[in-house]
């Protein structure tokens, strides 16, 4: 849930051109990546797939988690590509906002799907 809050905060910061916008993007990306890796490791460690019938929830670890990790990787690439420039290029900023928006919508959808189960 913290990743969702940080994603929306980063989106607002980027949209409003706050000076601290990149800090929020870094926080979102680090926390979101760590959370996904931790959840994936715990799922494997507890053998969730072997002990429980997941039904449609099987799509989360097999499709959503890899897609979310790719999104985080793209954001890391965008952040690291800055190479000390004073600010993000306009195109990079638009792409980052699109990626963060997609991540926020996907996370929000997953949270809603998780509540309905």
């Amino acid at each position: 849930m913290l990743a969702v809050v940080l994603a929306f905060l980063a989106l607002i910061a980027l949209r409003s051109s706050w000076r601290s916008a990149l800090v929020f993007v870094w926080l979102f990306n680090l926390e979101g990546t760590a959370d996904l890796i931790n959840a994936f490791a715990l799922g494997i460690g507890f053998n969730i797939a072997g002990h429980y019938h997941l039904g449609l929830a099987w799509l989360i670890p097999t499709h959503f988690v890899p897609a979310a990790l790719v999104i985080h990787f793209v954001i890391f690439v965008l952040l690291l590509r800055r190479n000390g420039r004073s600010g993000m290029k306009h195109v990079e900023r638009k792409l980052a906002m699109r990626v963060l928006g997609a991540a926020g919508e996907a996370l929000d959808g997953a949270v809603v799907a998780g509540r309905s189960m």
Side-chain angles (χ1 to χ4, degrees):
M1 194 62 155
L2 180 60
V4 173
V5 172
L6 288 172
F8 283 115
L9 230 119
L11 234 138
I12 292 167
L14 283 170
R15 191 85 163 143
S16 303
S17 299
W18 294 353
R19 287 186 179 187
S20 60
L22 290 178
V23 172
F24 289 115
V25 175
W26 273 105
L27 285 173
F28 155 70
N29 213 33
L30 290 170
E31 197 282 331
T33 303
D35 185 39
L36 283 171
I37 291 171
N38 180 47
F40 199 70
L42 287 174
I44 291 171
F46 289 125
N47 193 15
I48 298 293
H51 291 14
Y52 301 99
H53 177 68
L54 296 177
L56 195 55
W58 178 252
L59 294 174
I60 295 171
T62 59
H63 289 73
F64 170 72
V65 172
L69 286 173
V70 168
I71 289 171
H72 282 292
F73 176 76
V74 169
I75 295 172
F76 275 126
V77 168
L78 287 172
L79 288 169
L80 295 173
R81 223 169 75 187
R82 288 187 64 234
N83 288 337
R85 288 183 262 165
S86 61
M88 292 177 79
K89 288 183 181 178
H90 183 67
V91 174
E92 288 178 343
R93 173 193 252 153
K94 282 181 114 174
L95 180 60
M97 287 192 321
R98 282 187 188 153
V99 168
L100 280 172
E105 289 172 12
L107 287 172
D108 194 33
V111 169
V112 170
R115 287 186 189 150
S116 66
M117 290 183 180

